Amino acid sequence: MGGGNWDPGAYKSAAATRAATGVDDFDYDKKVRTGRASGIHPDLDPKKVAGPTSPLAGKNVRESRDNDEHPESLPIAVIFDVTGSMGQIPQVLQKKLTSLMDVIIAKAGVKHPQVLVGAVGDAYCDRYPFQVGQFESDNRFDEALRNIILEGGGGGQVKESYALAYRFAAYHTATDAFDKRGKKGYLFTMGDEMPWPNVTTKEVSDIFGVQAENDESVEELLEKAGERWEIFHLFSVDGSYPDRDDIHDRWRKLLGERFVKVEDSSLICEVVAGIVHMFETAHSVDQVVDDIGLKGAAATAVKNALVLVSAGRVPAHVGKGKAPTSKGSGTSDVSRV
Amino acid sequence: MPSIDAIIVEVGKQLRSATSFVAIFGPLPSGDQAAKKSALRKQFAYLAHSVHPDHASKGSEKEAAEVFRTLNKIRQAAEKAIEQNTYEQQFKPGTGPVLDSDESSDSEIQSAGSSYRLPKDSFQHGDFSVLYKGRMKSGDSVIVKISSEPAYNSWLEREALVLGQFRDAKATDPLSNIKPFVPALLDTFLIGGDGGTRYRVNVMSYVPDLVSVAEVMKAYPMGLDPKDAAWIFRRVLAQTLAASMAGLVHGALVPDHVLIDPFKHEPTHIGWGHAFKRDGKSRITHVVNRWKDYYPPEVFEKKPCGHGSDIYMAGKIMIGLLGGDVRKNKLPLLPKSVAGIILSCVESSRSRRPKDAREVLDGFTRAIRDEWGRAYRVLNMPVR
């Protein structure tokens, strides 16, 4: 995965064709709702395994790989809450995120982003609690967006299954960025509630089709996913619970300053691009917002979102020359507990 | 007549900045190799006599020993150059005198602002890295630490962040007092490898004569004399304090990560790639297998780790250093006050351990002064 080039023109013309032929932008969701299709779209099924050409063929992983066109892929995953409390936000995100690639390439100066989109619901009561696409460098991620079912479910407990996204990142992704360059990808979850404390073994087998040894706590999953991903939670202030301290506190405990309040969810692309840009360059918040070309209220909103995210980063300058001898075998006398 | 110490310093400088063997040993007679080598030996003997550590005054012995070693290496390289008929040639620009036996296998890596020459062979392995003793253009020695796998880059990045935190501490910040006792980070960057791979490189200034507590343990398998171990324990406790002052848990306070200077009795604290924010929720997720017995129970129970976890590991180091049974917390015969302090550190329940290493350090310092006085003996390490 990860071939092709994103072409903003192609998106616009495809959208125009759909409009002209009377096809809804979010056709699959509509088909499911009207009973003309059922079940998760096969491309978005977390059980889907890597194809025969992959070195991980048959394994339940989404891959972000380098290729000739994109020699230095940078994986960026955005997984948003599609439960009822989010109101119309998922539809807004579904539309807005189509320009994520544009904004990242043009404004954040990242040459080879590979974007993956996905949706979380509530594993307790939703039929499709986790839907996830592939890492794409081109317009195909727009298809994934259109195929997401906006179930609008969720229970009344102010908790959703965000931890499925962390389970996914921890165990079901493989990226050249990390394997070849030790570089972490970016994972953003977005929603307005707090995470269920655990992912159960049953959920893992139902949703991912694999066996987990034990129930997994959200803390554990974040820790494991954090070894290969820079993780942020974008909190939709315009969702149902803008002022619930228990929700904010729960996330702060989990993610610290990487719990980011987003006042206007329609600015998701700018916030994501801003955070990536800030991390890639170690620029100041002001500079980042300036680089992204925002003005007025939007600039303020993004600035407010980014200001707490500390840019504690080391320079990513690539020097010249090679290490003197071939590198070690990778066997280290250090093990994970 | 300049003092012997001044001569040593001057010779050291000239050795480092020389551009040819001729500039060091003078021209050699024309003729066969044997005659040339004989002349070289005479010149060497003259120089060696003037910088020999035996003649240096107290305090300059180390500088003299370093200069003497360097001179010896250059002599060996010059002999080789005679055999290869390259004695008269200038050194390659920017390389300084040839200190390594096979210069052609040296390589160079460059960051945005500096370049570093690396010998073919590494001199150490870290938990996630290979270490080279490299040289800057100025000729100064540096430690060049390169991750051994791209997947380990993030460990070296964490180390760079922590060392940067110490390095950048303002003079008014108490953290600045720790600067002399942690490696000075000079540079951090990435280099490419085969197939589009990237490796993190951290460059630190080289400090000679350091030995790790692990090496001390190896040199004294029956246990170190408590009077000698005492000052080392104070340095280990200081390392937990350094972490705490930086708002961190060190997370891997094992004998390999405490370096000491046996003469000056000063420590250098390393192993910062394992450190994490002291936030009450983070835990030690990775252990160095060979030191598994040194980690506190909360690690294996996957519970949050804190300052108390570092204190526990410090206590274990002391038990190991004294030749005790690390697993069973058995100490050799010690004054009661001293033993009590060590054993309090290794309580399995975090709540029963001391809360602050400073209190442990103060209590321990009082106890050892009462028992053994203030002076530290030079720690003899076998010649390596």
Side-chain angles (χ1 to χ4, degrees), chain B residues 314-326:
Chain B
K316 288 284 189 181
I317 290 182
M318 187 56 170
I319 297 173
L321 197 53
L322 291 167
D325 185 331
V326 172

Side-chain angles (χ1 to χ4, degrees), chain B residues 273-380:
Chain B
H274 298 264
F276 54 88
K277 239 192 226 168
R278 190 179 164 186
D279 57 10
K281 69 182 172 86
S282 299
R283 67 182 190 96
I284 294 171
T285 56
H286 290 73
V287 299
V288 182
N289 297 323
R290 62 188 175 283
W291 304 113
K292 217 169 175 179
D293 292 343
Y294 286 66
Y295 286 83
E298 59 265 27
V299 173
F300 305 101
E301 290 159 7
K302 299 191 179 189
K303 287 190 182 146
C305 298
H307 184 49
S309 312
D310 283 346
I311 291 177
Y312 180 97
M313 297 187 81
K316 288 284 189 181
I317 290 182
M318 187 56 170
I319 297 173
L321 197 53
L322 291 167
D325 185 331
V326 172
R327 195 173 290 182
K328 294 181 182 153
N329 292 337
K330 285 251 166 65
L331 283 165
L333 196 61
L334 282 178
K336 235 184 186 164
S337 56
V338 176
I341 291 170
I342 298 167
L343 291 176
S344 71
C345 297
V346 294
E347 287 280 357
S348 43
S349 154
R350 250 182 88 182
S351 60
R352 298 185 63 185
R353 285 175 222 153
K355 297 284 169 295
D356 185 352
R358 193 169 299 277
E359 284 162 31
V360 188
L361 185 57
D362 291 347
F364 186 75
T365 306
R366 275 194 301 275
I368 59 171
R369 280 182 185 163
D370 289 350
E371 294 291 340
W372 300 311
R374 282 170 183 265
Y376 298 146
R377 306 187 300 190
V378 167
L379 176 65
N380 289 310

Side-chain angles (χ1 to χ4, degrees), chain B residues 58-347:
Chain B
K58 225 175 162 56
S60 290
E61 295 134 317
K62 259 175 58 191
E63 170 82 17
E66 178 68 37
V67 171
F68 191 70
R69 267 200 298 273
T70 306
L71 182 65
N72 230 321
K73 280 189 189 167
I74 297 179
R75 193 265 315 243
Q76 287 166 8
E79 279 195 359
K80 207 166 178 186
I82 291 172
E83 289 162 17
Q84 293 169 346
N85 223 2
T86 55
Y87 180 87
E88 275 82 19
Q89 288 176 12
Q90 297 275 309
F91 301 143
K92 280 182 201 152
T95 61
V98 183
L99 298 184
D100 298 296
S101 50
D102 185 8
E103 189 219 13
S104 60
S105 62
D106 271 18
S107 58
E108 188 172 88
I109 57 172
Q110 285 177 22
S111 69
S114 308
S115 64
Y116 307 96
R117 287 199 71 77
L118 307 184
K120 179 168 60 73
D121 299 318
S122 60
F123 95 111
Q124 273 289 3
H125 281 256
D127 294 328
F128 306 101
S129 58
V130 184
L131 277 67
Y132 297 90
K133 191 177 162 190
R135 277 196 316 281
M136 297 201 290
K137 277 229 166 92
S138 60
D140 290 348
S141 292
V142 287
I143 298 292
V144 178
K145 187 171 185 177
I146 305 178
S147 64
S148 42
E149 286 292 323
Y152 300 151
N153 287 358
S154 60
W155 295 90
L156 275 80
E157 282 157 16
R158 196 143 35 138
E159 175 186 65
L161 282 174
V162 174
L163 294 181
Q165 194 184 339
F166 286 115
R167 179 193 61 197
D168 301 335
K170 302 227 163 63
T172 49
D173 182 344
L175 208 55
S176 66
N177 299 325
I178 316 245
K179 278 185 208 187
F181 309 118
V182 293
L185 181 73
L186 304 174
D187 213 342
T188 178
F189 56 103
L190 294 159
I191 51 167
D194 296 332
T197 50
R198 291 276 159 73
Y199 298 86
R200 172 63 56 179
V201 182
N202 289 343
V203 181
M204 293 159 276
S205 49
Y206 173 72
V207 181
D209 298 325
L210 293 175
V211 293
S212 73
V213 168
E215 287 170 294
V216 178
M217 285 177 171
K218 214 169 156 194
Y220 293 90
M222 302 301 286
L224 191 59
D225 185 316
K227 286 173 215 160
D228 292 320
W231 68 262
I232 298 178
F233 186 48
R234 294 190 70 229
R235 305 309 178 224
V236 182
L237 288 169
Q239 188 151 348
T240 70
L241 278 173
S244 168
M245 284 166 72
L248 301 168
V249 179
H250 184 281
L253 204 57
V254 297
D256 289 317
H257 293 160
V258 184
L259 305 182
I260 48 158
D261 184 321
F263 302 98
K264 290 196 221 153
H265 303 110
E266 297 294 8
T268 295
H269 311 312
I270 64 168
W272 295 104
H274 298 264
F276 54 88
K277 239 192 226 168
R278 190 179 164 186
D279 57 10
K281 69 182 172 86
S282 299
R283 67 182 190 96
I284 294 171
T285 56
H286 290 73
V287 299
V288 182
N289 297 323
R290 62 188 175 283
W291 304 113
K292 217 169 175 179
D293 292 343
Y294 286 66
Y295 286 83
E298 59 265 27
V299 173
F300 305 101
E301 290 159 7
K302 299 191 179 189
K303 287 190 182 146
C305 298
H307 184 49
S309 312
D310 283 346
I311 291 177
Y312 180 97
M313 297 187 81
K316 288 284 189 181
I317 290 182
M318 187 56 170
I319 297 173
L321 197 53
L322 291 167
D325 185 331
V326 172
R327 195 173 290 182
K328 294 181 182 153
N329 292 337
K330 285 251 166 65
L331 283 165
L333 196 61
L334 282 178
K336 235 184 186 164
S337 56
V338 176
I341 291 170
I342 298 167
L343 291 176
S344 71
C345 297
V346 294
E347 287 280 357

Side-chain angles (χ1 to χ4, degrees), chain A residues 299-314:
Chain A
T300 311
V302 172
K303 217 179 269 186
N304 289 347
L306 298 189
V307 80
L308 277 177
V309 180
S310 78
R313 306 278 297 159
V314 291

